[in-house]
Amino acid sequence: MSKKILPLVIGAAMGVAATTAAGATTLEDVKAKGFIQCGVSQGLPGFSNPDAQGNWTGLDVDLCRAMAAAVFGDATAVKYTPLSAKERFTALQSGEVDVLSRNTTWTMSRDTQLGLNFAGVNYYDGQGFMVRKDLGVTSALELSGASVCTNTGTTTELNVADYFRANNMPYEIVAFEKADEVVAAYDAGRCDVYTTDASGLYAQRLKLQNPGDHMVLPEIISKEPLGPVVRQGDDEWFNIAKWTLNAMLNAEELGVSSENVDEMKSSDNPSVKRLLGVEGAFGEAIGLSNDWAYNIVKSVGNYEESFNANVGPDTPLGISRGVNALWNDGGFMYAPPIR
Amino acid sequence: MEQDSAGAPARASLLNDPKARGLFYQVVLVVALVLFGYFIVSNTIHNLEQQNIASGWGFLENTAGFGTNQSLVSYSETSSYGRAIYVGFLNTLLVAGVGIFFATLIGFIIGIARLSNNWVISRLAYCYVELVRNIPLLLQIFFWYFAVLRSIPGKRDKWSLFDTVHLNIGGLRLPKPIWEPGSEFIGIALILGIVASFFVSRWARKRQEATGQQFPVFWTGVGLVLGLPIITYLVTGMPMTLEHPNFVETGPILRQGFELNVGINVIPEFLALTAALSIYTASFIAEIVRAGIQAVSHGQTEAAHALGLRNGPTLRLVVIPQAMRVIIPPLTSQYLNLTKNSSLAVAIAYPDLVSMGGTVLNQTGQAIEIIGIWMAVYLSLSLLTSAFMNWYNQRMALVER
């Protein structure tokens, strides 16, 4: 692990000097090399997970693909760097990746002290607990004295400490570097409880020997707004990340999907026209071509399509939209308009 | 050379003078290194500022907010980041110290067994060395950890030895001594016992040199080191009690099993890491010991045998002391390796320096500072180990009279 971070830091010290000295923006860099370097998790089904051929899929991956579609008109112009929770920020700071789309929680300290900008929220999550059904526990408040497995270097570790302390319950924390080892240790019975973001619990449960023997407790003990992150100080690239996400949300709201996007180009709805670049020059305003959003929707789809394909009720994860529904559908997803 | 300079002092132009040239290049090298260092530091600071990344050491005093499953000093979620790193540092020291002890023990046994005349024993030792040193350490750590986890009883079950030592997936549970007032005398008695047995052995050696009479030094030592504290314990009215781990068998399933924080719990992460580190390093130490013993001329053994010494004393009094001179320098490297390899702990949830520091790094984003601490700590540990071993090496070195 330290073997991995050290080059990153030396890279931060030296490599970044090269990029800033040359004065090239991230967009120019990305265009020059012909692809976006995207930091993803080391394997979280539904969010970013490689298949046997090494093709990455997931909700977080779709955001990188959408950015590539916006910049190049080609959703495959992405290369992925799997990062552990501990490595991710250093990798972004040092320029190793152009965007971090790795179920990363937006917190104030991360936003303000790390030289990073959060470009929005692509999944509203919260931390939960998973236990073996035969423990007979029905609430997290009964977990006094339990041993808890989790990942190091995450907000999870802090939330669980706060929760057990606030409820005056003793506990034993067992924190691993990689999610796979957490799953293995929990499966072997080292811990009574596995805690991480609820979406992660559903995803990791699929890796257990008998997923049916385990249940997720009802308590959600934290707010975990997950979203893409870019480096601070490059507003152009920040805008592209932000508006890529907004375009996917607006497309869903306007009923534009990858299937009907070509017909929608001739729609009379001015909002749709602005989104698809038929009217106005919103693409140029963020340094891209005017059909940027058309490319996103055409090759990746709108937010709903991405959600349903990766984590939705018909996938093994079976997550319902819940608070991740659009604002006019009872959820939190609310993208500023394109105008 | 001397003739040249003596014969023609006027010709020694500064440009051709090897001394001056050597000095010049060294000065140039040092200046270049300093400039390079200055460039790296100032460039880093500049870039950090430009990227709005906070820096400095102030974060060490902020509240850590995360817990840990092993700390040798008091630590809670409300302790500072600095304290968390200190906890990790002590855990690293502990696993390195215990690992070095066992690695040396196993290494010497295997190394000597490798040279045994008994074919089975020497083959077994050979297989051990070849098997263990050719498998990557990280795999061995995973093997020990997950083998331990999979094969021992679960949380609500246990294996017990004499009803005092228990093992289950939560760790190895031992009774914890509770020291009451008056117990400090036991510690004093222990120190007295050690000091006394040291003097007894010196006196016995002198007496043997003077008169040839032997004295049962070993058993006297055992008597002093163990006996004195035990007598003190009884005399002072037994001021120490044992707190036994409490195994709950009734109530809700989650409450069953060992209670938290009663007795001593050695976590399985520590057991697995110590086992992997000592067994792995021992395979290298065994080869070093074998090389050292084989470096001692066979004539020494024959001479000892000719004097009438049996195999055991020959090995202990003649061969090993001479072999140590060859063994110590490479042994030092193995100790350093073991200490540094303990950083692989992070893979199995043992809260060592790298694991705790890594968490702090992630919570604060202070990569440069944390990596600086890591490098400083491992460097000083290595330098201290090697300084100690060099001192020991000098003591053991052949003194020619």
Side-chain angles (χ1 to χ4, degrees), chain A residues 181-248:
Chain A
E181 273 112 48
V182 189
V183 175
Y186 170 74
D187 216 7
R190 171 72 180 93
C191 304
D192 305 308
V193 186
Y194 179 7
T195 182
T196 187
D197 294 349
S199 62
L201 289 180
Y202 287 106
Q204 304 290 14
R205 184 163 71 164
L206 302 175
K207 295 184 186 168
L208 297 173
Q209 280 175 346
N210 299 308
D213 291 352
H214 305 266
M215 60 184 275
V216 176
L217 296 175
E219 282 87 354
I220 295 293
I221 63 165
S222 68
K223 292 184 290 185
E224 310 284 340
L226 311 180
V229 199
V230 294
R231 277 183 296 279
Q232 196 175 316
D234 186 345
D235 285 356
E236 184 187 41
W237 187 245
F238 182 35
N239 282 340
I240 292 172
K242 202 161 41 181
W243 284 97
T244 299
L245 177 59
N246 288 338
M248 290 174 78

Coordinates of all heavy atoms in Angstrom, one line a residue, chain A residues 181-248:
Chain A
E181 N -11.4 -7.9 1.5 CA -10.9 -8.5 2.7 C -12.0 -8.3 3.8 O -12.1 -9.1 4.7 CB -9.6 -8.0 3.1 CG -8.5 -8.7 2.5 CD -7.7 -7.9 1.5 OE1 -7.3 -6.8 1.8 OE2 -7.4 -8.4 0.4
V182 N -12.7 -7.2 3.7 CA -13.8 -6.9 4.7 C -14.8 -8.0 4.5 O -15.3 -8.7 5.5 CB -14.4 -5.6 4.5 CG1 -15.4 -5.3 5.7 CG2 -13.4 -4.5 4.4
V183 N -15.2 -8.3 3.3 CA -16.2 -9.3 3.0 C -15.7 -10.7 3.5 O -16.5 -11.4 4.1 CB -16.5 -9.3 1.5 CG1 -17.4 -10.4 1.1 CG2 -17.1 -8.0 1.0
A184 N -14.5 -11.0 3.2 CA -14.0 -12.3 3.6 C -14.0 -12.5 5.1 O -14.4 -13.5 5.6 CB -12.6 -12.5 3.0
A185 N -13.5 -11.4 5.8 CA -13.5 -11.5 7.3 C -14.9 -11.6 7.9 O -15.1 -12.4 8.8 CB -12.7 -10.3 7.8
Y186 N -15.8 -10.8 7.3 CA -17.1 -10.8 7.8 C -17.8 -12.2 7.5 O -18.4 -12.8 8.4 CB -17.9 -9.7 7.2 CG -19.4 -9.8 7.4 CD1 -20.0 -9.5 8.7 CD2 -20.3 -10.2 6.4 CE1 -21.3 -9.6 8.9 CE2 -21.7 -10.3 6.7 CZ -22.2 -10.0 7.9 OH -23.5 -10.1 8.2
D187 N -17.5 -12.7 6.4 CA -18.1 -14.0 6.0 C -17.5 -15.1 6.9 O -18.2 -16.1 7.2 CB -17.7 -14.3 4.5 CG -18.8 -15.0 3.8 OD1 -19.9 -15.2 4.4 OD2 -18.6 -15.4 2.7
A188 N -16.2 -15.0 7.3 CA -15.6 -16.0 8.1 C -16.1 -15.9 9.6 O -15.8 -16.8 10.4 CB -14.1 -15.9 8.1
G189 N -16.8 -14.8 9.9 CA -17.4 -14.7 11.3 C -16.5 -13.9 12.2 O -16.7 -13.8 13.4
R190 N -15.5 -13.2 11.6 CA -14.6 -12.3 12.5 C -15.4 -11.2 13.1 O -15.1 -10.8 14.2 CB -13.5 -11.8 11.6 CG -12.6 -10.7 12.3 CD -11.7 -11.3 13.4 NE -10.9 -10.3 14.1 CZ -11.3 -9.7 15.2 NH1 -12.4 -10.0 15.7 NH2 -10.5 -8.9 15.8
C191 N -16.4 -10.7 12.4 CA -17.2 -9.6 12.9 C -18.7 -10.0 12.9 O -19.1 -10.9 12.2 CB -17.1 -8.4 12.0 SG -15.4 -7.9 11.7
D192 N -19.4 -9.4 13.8 CA -20.9 -9.5 13.9 C -21.5 -8.6 12.9 O -22.6 -9.0 12.4 CB -21.4 -9.2 15.3 CG -20.7 -9.9 16.4 OD1 -20.7 -11.2 16.2 OD2 -20.2 -9.3 17.3
V193 N -20.9 -7.5 12.6 CA -21.6 -6.5 11.8 C -20.6 -6.1 10.6 O -19.4 -6.0 10.8 CB -21.8 -5.2 12.6 CG1 -22.6 -4.2 11.9 CG2 -22.5 -5.6 13.9
Y194 N -21.2 -5.8 9.5 CA -20.5 -5.2 8.4 C -21.2 -3.9 8.1 O -22.4 -3.8 7.9 CB -20.6 -6.1 7.2 CG -19.9 -5.6 5.9 CD1 -19.1 -4.5 5.9 CD2 -20.0 -6.3 4.7 CE1 -18.5 -4.0 4.8 CE2 -19.4 -5.9 3.6 CZ -18.6 -4.8 3.6 OH -18.0 -4.3 2.5
T195 N -20.4 -2.8 8.2 CA -21.0 -1.5 7.9 C -20.3 -0.8 6.8 O -19.1 -0.8 6.7 CB -20.9 -0.6 9.2 OG1 -21.6 0.6 8.9 CG2 -19.5 -0.3 9.7
T196 N -21.1 -0.2 6.0 CA -20.6 0.7 4.9 C -21.9 1.4 4.4 O -22.9 1.3 5.0 CB -19.8 0.0 3.8 OG1 -19.3 0.9 2.9 CG2 -20.7 -1.0 3.0
D197 N -21.7 2.2 3.3 CA -22.9 2.8 2.7 C -23.9 1.7 2.3 O -23.5 0.6 1.9 CB -22.5 3.6 1.5 CG -21.6 4.8 1.8 OD1 -21.5 5.1 3.0 OD2 -21.1 5.4 0.9
A198 N -25.2 2.0 2.5 CA -26.2 1.0 2.3 C -26.1 0.4 0.9 O -26.3 -0.8 0.7 CB -27.6 1.6 2.4
S199 N -25.8 1.2 -0.1 CA -25.7 0.7 -1.5 C -24.5 -0.3 -1.5 O -24.7 -1.4 -2.2 CB -25.4 1.8 -2.5 OG -24.2 2.5 -2.1
G200 N -23.5 0.0 -0.8 CA -22.3 -0.9 -0.8 C -22.7 -2.2 -0.1 O -22.2 -3.3 -0.5
L201 N -23.5 -2.1 0.9 CA -23.9 -3.4 1.6 C -24.7 -4.3 0.7 O -24.4 -5.5 0.6 CB -24.8 -3.0 2.8 CG -24.2 -2.4 4.0 CD1 -25.2 -2.1 5.1 CD2 -23.1 -3.2 4.6
Y202 N -25.6 -3.7 -0.1 CA -26.4 -4.5 -1.0 C -25.4 -5.1 -2.1 O -25.6 -6.3 -2.5 CB -27.5 -3.7 -1.7 CG -28.6 -3.4 -0.8 CD1 -28.8 -2.1 -0.3 CD2 -29.5 -4.4 -0.4 CE1 -29.8 -1.8 0.6 CE2 -30.6 -4.1 0.4 CZ -30.7 -2.8 1.0 OH -31.7 -2.6 1.8
A203 N -24.5 -4.3 -2.5 CA -23.5 -4.8 -3.5 C -22.6 -5.9 -3.0 O -22.4 -6.9 -3.6 CB -22.7 -3.6 -4.1
Q204 N -22.1 -5.7 -1.8 CA -21.1 -6.6 -1.3 C -21.8 -7.9 -0.8 O -21.2 -9.0 -0.7 CB -20.3 -6.0 -0.1 CG -19.6 -4.7 -0.4 CD -18.4 -4.9 -1.4 OE1 -18.3 -6.0 -2.0 NE2 -17.6 -3.9 -1.5
R205 N -23.1 -7.8 -0.5 CA -23.8 -9.0 0.0 C -23.8 -10.0 -1.1 O -23.8 -11.2 -0.8 CB -25.2 -8.6 0.4 CG -26.0 -9.8 1.0 CD -27.2 -9.4 1.7 NE -28.3 -8.9 0.8 CZ -29.5 -8.7 1.1 NH1 -29.9 -9.0 2.4 NH2 -30.4 -8.3 0.3
L206 N -23.8 -9.6 -2.3 CA -23.8 -10.6 -3.4 C -22.5 -11.4 -3.4 O -22.5 -12.5 -4.0 CB -23.8 -9.8 -4.8 CG -25.0 -8.9 -5.0 CD1 -24.9 -8.2 -6.3 CD2 -26.3 -9.8 -4.9
K207 N -21.4 -10.9 -2.8 CA -20.2 -11.7 -2.8 C -20.1 -12.7 -1.6 O -19.2 -13.4 -1.5 CB -19.0 -10.7 -2.6 CG -18.8 -9.7 -3.8 CD -17.6 -8.9 -3.6 CE -17.4 -7.8 -4.6 NZ -16.4 -6.8 -4.2
L208 N -21.1 -12.6 -0.7 CA -21.0 -13.6 0.4 C -21.4 -15.0 0.0 O -22.0 -15.2 -1.1 CB -22.0 -13.1 1.5 CG -21.7 -11.7 2.2 CD1 -22.8 -11.3 3.1 CD2 -20.4 -11.8 2.9
Q209 N -21.0 -15.9 0.8 CA -21.3 -17.3 0.5 C -22.8 -17.6 0.4 O -23.3 -18.2 -0.6 CB -20.6 -18.3 1.5 CG -19.2 -18.5 1.2 CD -18.5 -19.3 2.3 OE1 -19.1 -19.5 3.4 NE2 -17.3 -19.7 2.1
N210 N -23.5 -17.1 1.4 CA -25.0 -17.3 1.4 C -25.6 -16.0 1.6 O -26.0 -15.6 2.7 CB -25.4 -18.3 2.5 CG -24.8 -19.6 2.3 OD1 -24.9 -20.2 1.2 ND2 -24.2 -20.1 3.3
P211 N -25.8 -15.2 0.5 CA -26.3 -13.8 0.7 C -27.7 -13.8 1.5 O -27.9 -12.9 2.2 CB -26.5 -13.3 -0.7 CG -25.6 -14.1 -1.5 CD -25.5 -15.5 -0.9
G212 N -28.4 -14.9 1.3 CA -29.7 -14.9 2.0 C -29.7 -15.0 3.5 O -30.7 -14.7 4.2
D213 N -28.5 -15.4 4.1 CA -28.4 -15.5 5.5 C -28.2 -14.1 6.2 O -28.0 -14.1 7.4 CB -27.2 -16.4 5.9 CG -27.5 -17.8 5.5 OD1 -28.6 -18.1 5.1 OD2 -26.5 -18.6 5.6
H214 N -28.0 -13.1 5.4 CA -27.7 -11.8 6.0 C -28.8 -10.8 5.7 O -29.5 -10.8 4.7 CB -26.3 -11.3 5.4 CG -25.3 -12.3 5.6 ND1 -24.4 -12.3 6.6 CD2 -24.9 -13.4 4.8 CE1 -23.5 -13.3 6.5 NE2 -23.8 -14.0 5.5
M215 N -28.9 -9.8 6.6 CA -29.9 -8.8 6.4 C -29.3 -7.4 6.7 O -28.4 -7.3 7.5 CB -31.1 -9.0 7.3 CG -30.8 -9.0 8.8 SD -32.2 -9.5 9.8 CE -32.9 -7.9 10.0
V216 N -29.9 -6.4 6.1 CA -29.5 -5.0 6.3 C -30.4 -4.4 7.3 O -31.6 -4.5 7.2 CB -29.4 -4.2 5.0 CG1 -29.1 -2.8 5.3 CG2 -28.4 -4.8 4.0
L217 N -29.9 -3.9 8.4 CA -30.7 -3.3 9.5 C -31.4 -2.0 9.0 O -30.8 -1.3 8.1 CB -29.9 -3.0 10.7 CG -29.3 -4.3 11.4 CD1 -28.4 -4.0 12.5 CD2 -30.5 -5.2 11.8
P218 N -32.5 -1.6 9.6 CA -33.3 -0.5 9.0 C -32.6 0.9 9.3 O -32.8 1.8 8.5 CB -34.6 -0.5 9.8 CG -34.3 -1.4 11.0 CD -33.3 -2.3 10.6
E219 N -31.7 1.0 10.3 CA -31.1 2.3 10.6 C -30.2 2.8 9.5 O -29.3 2.0 9.1 CB -30.4 2.3 11.9 CG -31.3 2.3 13.1 CD -31.7 1.0 13.6 OE1 -31.4 0.0 12.8 OE2 -32.4 0.9 14.6
I220 N -30.4 4.0 9.1 CA -29.4 4.7 8.3 C -28.8 5.8 9.1 O -29.5 6.6 9.6 CB -30.0 5.3 7.0 CG1 -30.6 4.1 6.1 CG2 -29.1 6.1 6.2 CD1 -29.6 3.2 5.5
I221 N -27.5 5.7 9.4 CA -26.9 6.5 10.5 C -26.2 7.8 9.9 O -25.6 8.5 10.7 CB -26.0 5.7 11.4 CG1 -24.8 5.2 10.6 CG2 -26.7 4.6 12.0 CD1 -23.6 4.8 11.4
S222 N -26.2 8.0 8.6 CA -25.5 9.1 8.2 C -26.0 9.6 6.8 O -26.8 8.9 6.2 CB -24.0 8.8 8.0 OG -23.8 7.9 7.0
K223 N -25.6 10.8 6.4 CA -25.9 11.3 5.0 C -24.6 11.0 4.2 O -23.6 11.4 4.6 CB -26.2 12.8 5.1 CG -27.5 13.1 5.7 CD -27.7 14.6 5.6 CE -26.8 15.4 6.5 NZ -27.0 16.8 6.5
E224 N -24.8 10.3 3.1 CA -23.6 10.1 2.3 C -23.9 10.5 0.9 O -24.3 9.7 0.0 CB -23.2 8.6 2.3 CG -23.1 8.0 3.7 CD -21.8 8.4 4.4 OE1 -20.8 8.8 3.7 OE2 -21.7 8.3 5.6
P225 N -23.9 11.8 0.6 CA -24.0 12.2 -0.8 C -22.8 11.8 -1.6 O -21.7 12.4 -1.4 CB -24.2 13.7 -0.7 CG -23.6 14.1 0.6 CD -23.6 12.9 1.4
L226 N -23.0 10.9 -2.6 CA -21.8 10.4 -3.3 C -21.8 11.1 -4.7 O -22.9 11.3 -5.3 CB -21.9 8.9 -3.6 CG -22.2 8.1 -2.4 CD1 -22.3 6.6 -2.8 CD2 -21.1 8.3 -1.3
G227 N -20.6 11.5 -5.1 CA -20.6 12.2 -6.4 C -19.2 12.3 -7.0 O -18.2 12.0 -6.3
P228 N -19.1 12.8 -8.2 CA -17.8 12.9 -8.9 C -17.0 14.1 -8.4 O -17.6 15.1 -7.9 CB -18.2 13.1 -10.4 CG -19.5 13.7 -10.3 CD -20.2 13.2 -9.1
V229 N -15.7 13.9 -8.4 CA -14.8 14.9 -7.8 C -13.7 15.3 -8.8 O -13.2 14.4 -9.6 CB -14.1 14.4 -6.6 CG1 -13.5 15.6 -5.7 CG2 -15.0 13.6 -5.7
V230 N -13.4 16.6 -8.9 CA -12.3 17.1 -9.8 C -11.4 18.0 -8.9 O -11.7 18.3 -7.8 CB -12.8 17.9 -11.0 CG1 -13.6 17.0 -11.9 CG2 -13.7 19.1 -10.5
R231 N -10.3 18.3 -9.5 CA -9.3 19.2 -8.8 C -9.9 20.6 -8.7 O -10.5 21.1 -9.7 CB -8.0 19.2 -9.5 CG -7.1 18.1 -9.2 CD -5.7 18.2 -9.9 NE -5.9 18.2 -11.3 CZ -6.0 17.0 -12.0 NH1 -6.0 15.9 -11.4 NH2 -6.1 17.1 -13.3
Q232 N -9.5 21.3 -7.7 CA -9.9 22.7 -7.5 C -9.1 23.6 -8.4 O -7.9 23.2 -8.7 CB -9.8 23.1 -6.1 CG -10.5 24.4 -5.7 CD -10.4 24.6 -4.2 OE1 -10.6 23.7 -3.4 NE2 -10.2 25.9 -3.8
G233 N -9.6 24.7 -8.9 CA -8.7 25.6 -9.6 C -8.8 25.4 -11.1 O -8.1 26.1 -11.8
D234 N -9.6 24.6 -11.6 CA -9.8 24.4 -13.1 C -11.3 24.4 -13.3 O -12.0 23.4 -13.5 CB -9.2 23.1 -13.5 CG -9.2 23.0 -15.0 OD1 -9.9 23.8 -15.7 OD2 -8.5 22.1 -15.6
D235 N -11.8 25.7 -13.4 CA -13.3 25.9 -13.5 C -13.9 25.3 -14.8 O -15.0 24.8 -14.8 CB -13.6 27.4 -13.4 CG -13.5 27.9 -12.0 OD1 -13.2 27.1 -11.1 OD2 -13.7 29.1 -11.8
E236 N -13.1 25.3 -15.8 CA -13.6 24.7 -17.1 C -13.9 23.2 -17.0 O -15.0 22.8 -17.3 CB -12.5 25.0 -18.2 CG -12.9 24.6 -19.6 CD -11.7 24.7 -20.5 OE1 -10.6 24.3 -20.1 OE2 -11.9 25.1 -21.6
W237 N -13.0 22.5 -16.4 CA -13.1 21.1 -16.2 C -14.2 20.8 -15.2 O -15.0 19.9 -15.3 CB -11.8 20.5 -15.8 CG -11.8 19.0 -15.8 CD1 -11.7 18.2 -14.7 CD2 -12.0 18.1 -16.9 NE1 -11.7 16.8 -15.0 CE2 -11.9 16.8 -16.4 CE3 -12.2 18.2 -18.3 CZ2 -12.1 15.6 -17.2 CZ3 -12.4 17.1 -19.1 CH2 -12.3 15.8 -18.5
F238 N -14.3 21.6 -14.1 CA -15.3 21.5 -13.1 C -16.7 21.7 -13.7 O -17.6 20.9 -13.5 CB -15.0 22.6 -12.1 CG -15.9 22.6 -10.9 CD1 -16.4 21.4 -10.3 CD2 -16.3 23.8 -10.3 CE1 -17.3 21.5 -9.2 CE2 -17.1 23.9 -9.2 CZ -17.6 22.7 -8.7
N239 N -16.8 22.7 -14.6 CA -18.1 22.9 -15.3 C -18.5 21.7 -16.1 O -19.6 21.3 -16.2 CB -18.0 24.1 -16.2 CG -18.1 25.4 -15.4 OD1 -18.6 25.4 -14.3 ND2 -17.6 26.5 -16.0
I240 N -17.5 21.1 -16.8 CA -17.8 19.9 -17.7 C -18.4 18.8 -16.8 O -19.4 18.1 -17.1 CB -16.6 19.5 -18.5 CG1 -16.3 20.6 -19.5 CG2 -16.8 18.2 -19.2 CD1 -15.0 20.4 -20.2
A241 N -17.7 18.5 -15.7 CA -18.1 17.4 -14.8 C -19.5 17.7 -14.3 O -20.4 16.9 -14.3 CB -17.1 17.3 -13.7
K242 N -19.7 19.0 -13.8 CA -21.0 19.3 -13.2 C -22.1 19.2 -14.2 O -23.2 18.7 -13.9 CB -20.8 20.8 -12.7 CG -21.7 21.2 -11.7 CD -21.2 22.5 -10.9 CE -20.6 23.6 -11.9 NZ -20.1 24.7 -11.1
W243 N -21.9 19.8 -15.4 CA -23.0 19.8 -16.4 C -23.2 18.5 -17.1 O -24.3 18.3 -17.6 CB -22.8 21.0 -17.3 CG -23.2 22.2 -16.5 CD1 -22.3 23.1 -15.9 CD2 -24.5 22.7 -16.2 NE1 -23.0 24.1 -15.2 CE2 -24.4 23.8 -15.4 CE3 -25.8 22.2 -16.6 CZ2 -25.5 24.5 -14.9 CZ3 -26.8 22.9 -16.1 CH2 -26.7 24.1 -15.3
T244 N -22.2 17.6 -17.1 CA -22.5 16.3 -17.6 C -23.5 15.6 -16.7 O -24.5 15.0 -17.2 CB -21.1 15.5 -17.6 OG1 -20.2 16.1 -18.4 CG2 -21.4 14.0 -18.0
L245 N -23.3 15.7 -15.4 CA -24.3 15.1 -14.5 C -25.6 15.8 -14.6 O -26.7 15.1 -14.7 CB -23.7 15.2 -13.0 CG -24.7 14.7 -11.9 CD1 -25.0 13.2 -12.1 CD2 -24.0 14.9 -10.6
N246 N -25.6 17.1 -14.7 CA -26.9 17.8 -14.8 C -27.6 17.5 -16.2 O -28.8 17.4 -16.2 CB -26.6 19.3 -14.8 CG -26.3 19.8 -13.4 OD1 -26.6 19.1 -12.4 ND2 -25.6 20.9 -13.2
A247 N -26.8 17.3 -17.2 CA -27.4 16.9 -18.5 C -28.2 15.6 -18.4 O -29.3 15.4 -18.9 CB -26.4 16.9 -19.6
M248 N -27.6 14.6 -17.7 CA -28.2 13.3 -17.6 C -29.5 13.4 -16.8 O -30.5 12.8 -17.1 CB -27.3 12.3 -16.9 CG -26.1 11.9 -17.8 SD -24.9 10.9 -16.9 CE -25.8 9.3 -17.0

